[in-house]
């Protein structure tokens, strides 16, 4: 297909100057624009990049984008991937080019980033009660009739605050909202009972600045989540949508009823239960919000991905590799690399040593007998078994866990082809 970034507002990122703000990039590239540096197609390994440096596999990203597009189409789902994973407008553009309905966000700042780069559909998976943010939102909706925005509501008080702020802002268009159903008494947010959900819906009906368009929630918060428990909660969600519809809670100007769930761990169960949704009075927008798929990982999501349960549907590919250099080899059982907590996610799992690139001849070999045992701020601690080949100057390629806390440590990430050629740079906005 054609380059999904061509002609988009994300192209403006090409004009940004490369300098000391962006770690890992070649010092001799200072002063060039990002676009100029990308056009040089430097090698990650011989093109002057300094360690540590995070690389994102171009081939794996492309594969993952295609896979979720195909999966959603096969199951009759729309998807709005969670933008908080990458906060990278270039990836938002690519996700949209590969079928995404829009982008999910969690907080007003993330919505502002999306709008700055032309995202036309935003799903805010939180109740928005910040008056300043609501004033901004009212302005965006009034200025752009094509802009679509949907937010959670889960309390009567939240609805009151939204209505007050939007009224004060002189909002000309109502804000679309979905009632959030909580995933259990000990879960995160969301109205806990059907009665609570009905009370929130009644409050929305009484607020002229809001319009009820559906129901939503997050199955990942189901306590002690297991297939049966997740399935049961999802059926509560779809039953709530059907009940609201039967009760006439969706106004005549609502063209489609939003039913949304689906993190990165249970979207197969979401697809299964959403397929059972009874016919409603108007079309249903069955909306997934999985975000981690775009990069996947070598830890948390590698174990949790629904594709492990449905291998016939395909498999995601880890796209991250953090390259660090051995800077100390104090004894045969120990080595240290120059990447630590400032560079690698560590909230769920430590990095995993995957490959070693020789400083002598550039050859690459498996990181046999090498284990990451800990991270300091700027050092990675490696344990090396007898016979493990590793010396000062070698580069170690590390697999990482939890994309959300990988992306946020890097402002400009090289997009790298399998042979090491850097073809682009992904800018993040955290």
């Amino acid at each position: 297909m054609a380059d999904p970034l061509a002609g988009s507002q994300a192209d403006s990122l090409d004009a940004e100057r490369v300098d000391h703000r962006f770690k890992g990039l070649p010092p001799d590239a200072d002063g060039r624009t990002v676009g100029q540096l990308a056009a040089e197609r430097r090698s990650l390994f011989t093109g002057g990049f300094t360690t540590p440096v995070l690389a994102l596999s171009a081939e794996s990203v492309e594969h993952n984008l295609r896979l979720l597009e195909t999966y959603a189409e096969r199951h009759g789902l729309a998807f709005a991937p969670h933008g908080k994973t990458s906060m990278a407008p270039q990836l938002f553009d690519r996700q949209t080019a590969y079928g995404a309905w829009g982008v999910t966000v969690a907080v007003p700042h993330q919505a502002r980033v999306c709008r700055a780069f032309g995202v036309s559909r935003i799903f805010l998976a939180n109740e928005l009660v910040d008056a300043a943010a609501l004033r901004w939102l009212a302005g965006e909706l009034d200025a752009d009739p094509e802009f679509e925005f949907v937010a959670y509501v889960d309390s009567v008080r939240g609805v009151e605050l939204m209505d007050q702020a939007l009224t004060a802002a002189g909002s000309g268009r109502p804000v679309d909202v979905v009632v959030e159903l909580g995933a259990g008494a000990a879960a995160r947010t969301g109205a806990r009972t059907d009665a609570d959900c009905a009370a929130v819906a009644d409050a929305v009906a009484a607020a002229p600045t809001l319009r009820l368009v559906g129901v939503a929630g997050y199955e990942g918060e189901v306590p002690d989540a297991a297939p049966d428990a997740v399935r049961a909660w999802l059926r509560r969600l779809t039953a709530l949508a059907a009940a609201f519809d039967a009760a006439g809670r969706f106004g005549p100007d609502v063209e489609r009823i939003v039913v949304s769930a689906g993190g990165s761990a249970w979207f197969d169960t979401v697809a299964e239960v959403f397929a059972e949704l009874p016919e409603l009075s108007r079309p249903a927008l069955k909306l997934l919000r999985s975000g981690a798929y775009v990069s996947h990982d070598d830890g948390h999501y590698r174990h949790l991905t629904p594709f492990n349960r449905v291998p016939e549907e395909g498999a995601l590919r880890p796209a991250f590799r953090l390259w660090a250099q051995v800077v100390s080899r104090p004894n045969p059982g120990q080595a240290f690399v120059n990447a630590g907590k400032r560079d690698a996610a560590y909230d769920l799992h430590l990095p995993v040593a995957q490959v070693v690139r020789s400083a002598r001849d550039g050859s690459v070999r498996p990181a046999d007998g090498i284990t990451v045992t800990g991270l300091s701020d700027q050092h990675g601690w490696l344990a090396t078994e007898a016979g493990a080949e590793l010396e000062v100057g070698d580069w170690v390629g590390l697999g990482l866990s939890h994309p959300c806390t990988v992306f946020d440590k890097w402002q400009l990430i090289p997009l790298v082809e399998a042979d090491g050629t850097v073809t682009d740079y992904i800018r993040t906005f955290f």
Side-chain angles (χ1 to χ4, degrees), residues 107-193:
V107 293
H109 161 71
Q110 294 168 356
R112 290 185 63 202
V113 171
C114 287
R115 288 301 289 161
F117 288 92
V119 175
S120 61
R121 289 180 176 142
I122 295 174
F123 185 103
L124 182 72
N126 250 331
E127 189 166 69
L128 180 60
V129 294
D130 184 307
L134 286 162
R135 284 195 299 272
W136 168 83
L137 174 61
E140 290 292 302
L141 289 168
D142 289 346
D144 183 0
E146 301 301 315
F147 174 37
E148 297 182 43
F149 179 89
V150 180
Y152 278 179
V153 286
D154 79 346
S155 66
V156 171
R157 176 59 176 158
V159 169
E160 292 172 350
L161 289 170
M162 292 183 75
D163 185 48
Q164 289 170 10
L166 291 167
T167 298
S171 178
R173 287 175 61 192
V175 172
D176 287 348
V177 295
V178 290
V179 172
E180 182 194 4
L181 174 66
R188 195 166 60 193
T189 56
R192 294 323 201 214
T193 67

Side-chain angles (χ1 to χ4, degrees), residues 79-111:
F79 65 105
H82 210 315
K84 57 96 176 174
T85 298
S86 71
M87 285 308 299
Q90 292 151 290
L91 295 181
F92 298 166
D93 272 1
R94 294 186 184 203
Q95 289 169 312
T96 301
Y98 282 90
W101 172 88
V103 176
T104 296
V105 298
V107 293
H109 161 71
Q110 294 168 356

Side-chain angles (χ1 to χ4, degrees), residues 302-392:
R302 181 176 183 176
H303 296 299
L304 287 184
T305 176
F307 287 114
N308 291 338
R309 295 187 289 270
V310 287
E312 67 278 5
E313 300 261 20
L316 294 168
R317 298 177 185 171
F320 282 126
R321 179 164 283 172
L322 177 63
W323 288 97
Q325 193 167 31
V326 179
V327 293
S328 181
R329 189 80 159 98
N331 60 64
Q334 194 174 39
F336 292 87
V337 293
N338 61 350
K341 293 179 180 178
R342 306 295 188 190
D343 314 296
Y346 59 92
D347 55 321
L348 295 178
H349 302 96
L350 288 172
V352 177
Q354 296 178 323
V355 295
V356 175
R357 189 176 191 276
S358 170
R360 295 183 182 274
D361 60 14
S363 61
V364 178
R365 60 184 181 273
D368 294 335
I370 302 171
T371 304
V372 179
T373 59
L375 295 176
S376 300
D377 284 351
Q378 305 289 178
H379 290 89
W381 295 59
L382 307 185
T384 55
E385 297 176 5
E389 297 181 60
L390 195 64
E391 60 181 345
V392 170

Side-chain angles (χ1 to χ4, degrees), residues 389-401:
E389 297 181 60
L390 195 64
E391 60 181 345
V392 170
D394 289 346
W395 285 27
V396 180
L398 303 171
L400 303 175
S401 179

